Amino acid sequence: MVIQNKSRQLNLDDMPATDIKDISLAKQGVKRIDWAWQEMPVLRQLAERFSKQRPLNGVRIGACLHVTTETANLVRTLTAGGARVTLCASNPLSTQDDVAAALVQAYGDPVFAVSGEDDQRYYRHINAVIDSRPQITLDDGADLVSELHKNRREMLAHVEGGTEETTTGVIRLRAMAAECALEYPIIAVNDAMTKHLFDNRYGTGQSTLDGVIRATNILLAGKTFTVAGYGWCGRGIAHRAQGHGAIVIVTEVDPLRALEAAMDGFRVMPLTEAAACSDFIVTATGDKLVIHRAHLEIMKDGCILANSGHFNVEIDIPALESLAVEKHHPRPSVDEYRLADGRRIRLLAEGRLVNLAAAEGHPATVMDMSFANQALSVAHLWTQRGNLDKRVHPVPQDIDSEVAQHKLAAMGIAIDTLTEEQTLYLASWREGT
Ligand SMILES: NC(=O)c1ccc[n+]([C@@H]2O[C@H](COP(=O)([O-])OP(=O)(O)OC[C@H]3O[C@@H](n4cnc5c(N)ncnc54)[C@H](O)[C@@H]3O)[C@@H](O)[C@H]2O)c1
């Protein structure tokens, strides 16, 4: 079958049963997956429960997620519940090839993901997942849902529901629902408190710094570090950069978030000012062309640019390419552009998610909660199939609370409980001064 995708023709006939880089990496992948498993107590507990109750017996799941050790453990949990999971990457640069090999060889899951794959192969892999006739989709950025709705509509009939992992995906899906274009219900896992409060803030915060440091090995202390966007991810990145001793600037378009950043102790200014004095600029907005030509023209020599937002559209890379007279590749994950006036601008990880492309993504400790939400939401979608509207739904409150309770218990933290008198007091208006 040949389909037209983003002005490309994809021939889907010659796709093998799996497509990964190197099966001999499986042993190393298994070790790393087990290492992450130790940090995922909530998911481990769920896997044990799922293996007894088999809530997903025979369910075909199509997943488009970053192929990392943590995702492998989500796949293990879903298969423990009886599901058959077919997996592809949600970003061309984020695949850990040893994990893909381990999933295929040690766990028997069909995987279509190769780190560094080009756009053509990326979409062929998404189509291979669609070919598995998924009844539930798991997405991170909504490329799978979008491909199903745009090019593979004949497969929509199989799908009962889906989940979405990230802010950008939720925004795209809400836009689809608003146009009545969404053909099945989706649960916005990103919006669970036990997801974005921890994963976006602490996970992206730590792993973005990890990616920037691994790629450059440049000391942050004393440097000027600008964060574009003070949402959940931006807050985490800004605080962690401050913790490294950097002078942190925040740029925003939302007055409330800008005010919060100012009161959190950061300098706030437009990017046109920040660009001239920054040693590092990291975007985390989910928006496009946040760093554009006018900023590139005034940046100081040696400025390092990175992105942690979902798509590689936050930095105007075509403008950077057109301004450059020379480009070279001094270190893995670093492209250095020399401009006509001699200034050098360094771009990390081709402007793709720096925490996944230049480091290992979020630590397992936070993915434990995000993926427990995923697994419980999938089970919820399956039991509720046919009963949910074709729109974006929140994660049910009891799932969010259950995940928080299990995480606290796993961390050995007990909390107080309301007395009966306090419960009544908090629900009444009669008592006052
Ligand atoms: N790197 C990762 O592993 C990872 C993890 C989670 C989320 N994400 C992605 O990161 C992005 C941000 O997610 P979030 O949860 O922080 O979203 P959010 O909505 O909480 O925050 C985004 C912020 O960016 C601001 N913004 C928008 N356009 C801007 C511009 N031109 N200049 C400055 N600020 C601007 C918004 O006002 C908002 O405050 C999304 O694309 C999301 O999918 C990445």
Side-chain angles (χ1 to χ4, degrees):
M1 176 177 38
V2 176
I3 64 163
Q4 189 73 26
N5 170 293
K6 273 195 175 176
S7 74
R8 277 181 298 270
Q9 282 203 335
L10 300 182
N11 186 345
L12 306 177
D13 289 338
D14 54 352
M15 206 63 213
T18 65
D19 191 22
I20 59 167
K21 187 169 259 170
D22 181 358
I23 197 75
S24 73
L25 298 172
K27 209 165 156 189
Q28 177 193 325
V30 169
K31 281 191 203 157
R32 293 203 315 110
I33 292 167
D34 283 341
W35 175 260
W37 200 223
Q38 302 314 311
E39 283 292 308
M40 305 182 91
V42 182
L43 210 56
R44 285 204 310 269
Q45 197 178 14
L46 256 183
E48 203 180 315
R49 189 167 102 201
F50 274 18
S51 67
K52 291 183 190 127
Q53 298 173 347
R54 305 281 288 176
L56 302 170
N57 216 7
V59 179
R60 296 186 303 276
I61 294 179
C64 179
L65 300 170
H66 299 296
V67 180
T68 62
T69 52
E70 295 78 20
T71 298
N73 286 321
L74 171 62
V75 172
R76 280 169 86 178
T77 306
L78 297 169
T79 49
R84 170 81 169 151
V85 183
T86 305
L87 176 67
C88 68
S90 57
N91 184 292
L93 287 190
S94 63
T95 296
Q96 296 170 2
D97 292 306
D98 58 341
V99 171
L103 280 169
V104 171
Q105 191 173 71
Y107 301 106
D109 302 303
V111 178
F112 299 85
V114 176
S115 71
E117 62 197 18
D118 61 16
D119 269 16
Q120 179 102 6
R121 198 171 185 187
Y122 175 77
Y123 276 101
R124 276 160 52 90
H125 286 165
I126 288 182
N127 275 279
V129 167
I130 296 173
D131 287 340
S132 71
R133 295 179 296 122
Q135 294 163 296
I136 302 270
T137 61
L138 272 64
D139 224 335
D140 187 333
D143 277 348
L144 173 59
V145 175
S146 161
E147 184 69 7
L148 254 168
H149 283 71
K150 282 198 273 197
N151 294 315
R152 301 294 304 277
R153 295 192 66 81
E154 78 285 2
M155 302 302 259
L156 283 167
H158 300 287
V159 189
E160 301 282 355
T163 61
E164 171 52 54
E165 171 76 6
T166 198
T167 316
T168 284
V170 172
I171 291 170
R172 291 178 83 189
L173 294 166
R174 290 223 165 92
M176 283 177 78
E179 288 178 18
C180 297
L182 188 63
E183 295 289 350
Y184 57 88
I186 305 255
I187 293 188
V189 169
N190 182 72
D191 294 355
M193 300 287 261
T194 46
K195 198 277 183 183
H196 65 259
L197 278 179
F198 306 98
D199 170 316
N200 299 29
R201 182 163 43 170
Y202 302 115
T204 313
Q206 176 168 318
S207 59
T208 298
L209 270 284
D210 186 13
V212 170
I213 292 167
R214 283 195 209 193
T216 63
N217 196 26
I218 292 178
L219 188 76
L220 300 186
K223 299 280 185 348
T224 300
F225 192 108
T226 293
V227 181
Y230 200 64
W232 292 106
C233 296
R235 290 176 178 112
I237 298 167
H239 279 99
R240 261 117 209 97
Q242 190 180 48
H244 277 267
I247 301 148
V248 179
I249 297 174
V250 168
T251 70
E252 252 297 345
V253 291
D254 178 331
L256 274 174
R257 295 261 168 106
L259 191 58
E260 186 187 345
M263 296 225 181
D264 281 347
F266 300 111
R267 296 178 65 200
V268 178
M269 62 184 77
L271 190 52
T272 38
E273 277 174 44
C277 64
S278 297
D279 300 295
F280 295 85
I281 307 178
V282 177
T283 52
T285 69
D287 197 359
K288 71 192 284 198
L289 302 178
V290 177
I291 298 177
H292 54 73
R293 195 180 188 97
H295 303 124
L296 297 167
E297 280 168 349
I298 55 162
M299 266 170 205
K300 80 189 234 198
D301 179 35
C303 184
I304 291 165
L305 306 182
N307 167 50
S308 230
H310 190 77
F311 288 119
N312 61 337
V313 294
E314 304 215 8
I315 302 169
D316 189 350
I317 299 170
L320 184 55
E321 297 268 352
S322 74
L323 283 169
V325 291
E326 197 184 297
K327 175 181 174 184
H328 74 118
H329 189 57
R331 293 169 58 90
S333 304
V334 184
D335 286 312
E336 186 173 272
Y337 294 81
R338 188 177 292 277
L339 311 191
D341 58 11
R343 284 177 305 126
R344 292 154 308 156
I345 294 177
R346 284 96 173 238
L347 176 68
L348 306 189
E350 300 169 22
R352 297 193 188 273
L353 297 158
V354 71
N355 61 328
L356 282 136
E360 292 173 62
H362 293 177
T365 318
V366 286
M367 294 315 291
D368 188 27
M369 288 186 279
S370 306
F371 284 167
N373 276 297
Q374 282 279 10
L376 289 167
S377 295
V378 168
H380 175 77
L381 277 167
W382 190 247
T383 45
Q384 290 300 316
R385 61 188 182 281
N387 296 331
L388 298 172
D389 303 339
K390 295 173 182 177
R391 61 180 171 85
V392 179
H393 295 259
V395 171
Q397 178 62 46
D398 56 335
I399 291 183
D400 219 348
S401 305
E402 184 186 342
V403 173
Q405 273 164 12
H406 286 314
K407 193 68 176 176
L408 277 173
M411 292 168 80
I413 298 172
I415 58 170
D416 291 327
T417 43
L418 289 172
T419 62
E420 204 176 316
E421 187 182 355
Q422 286 170 334
T423 307
L424 284 173
Y425 176 73
L426 291 173
S428 92
W429 56 272
R430 291 182 197 284
E431 282 185 61
T433 313

